[in-house]
């Protein structure tokens, strides 16, 4: 007669220390209080900035500047700016 012995390793269920969830929520709310409010979008201002960027790029990379200018033109045409 043969005998087989099996040793099973069952992981123990670990729980967070007491108060960890509360401290985690407090820390998350503290971090949220430091977030800046998103700036309002202004399409005309963004187009002016993009055109200025294209003008800067024209010196170093004329092809990319031309592509950017064409994209800006399409954007203005589609959005009626």
């Amino acid at each position: 007669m043969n005998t087989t012995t099996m040793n099973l390793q069952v992981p123990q269920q670990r729980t967070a220390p007491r108060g960890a969830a509360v401290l985690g929520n407090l820390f998350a709310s503290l971090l949220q209080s430091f977030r800046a409010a998103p700036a309002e979008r202004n399409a005309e201002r963004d187009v002016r900035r993009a055109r200025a960027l294209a003008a800067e790029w024209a010196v170093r990379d004329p092809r990319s500047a031309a592509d950017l200018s064409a994209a800006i033109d399409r954007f203005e045409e589609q959005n009626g700016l």
Side-chain angles (χ1 to χ4, degrees):
M1 181 154 120
N2 292 337
T3 304
T4 303
T5 303
M6 297 178 70
N7 292 327
L8 298 176
Q9 295 181 357
V10 179
Q12 294 181 353
Q13 215 175 24
R14 294 188 180 200
T15 58
R18 281 186 221 121
V22 174
L23 287 175
N25 289 335
L26 285 174
F27 184 70
S29 63
L30 177 69
L31 286 179
Q32 286 289 355
S33 68
F34 288 112
R35 292 186 75 181
E40 289 187 29
R41 302 302 307 189
N42 182 342
E44 292 174 358
R45 182 192 65 214
D46 292 342
V47 166
R48 283 193 310 269
R49 288 180 178 175
R51 289 216 183 271
L53 181 63
E56 287 179 28
W57 283 4
V59 176
R60 292 175 296 189
D61 191 359
R63 181 180 285 175
S64 294
D67 288 343
L68 180 57
S69 294
I72 295 167
D73 292 339
R74 282 192 304 271
F75 177 81
E76 284 181 321
E77 188 177 306
Q78 289 173 352
N79 294 298
L81 296 177

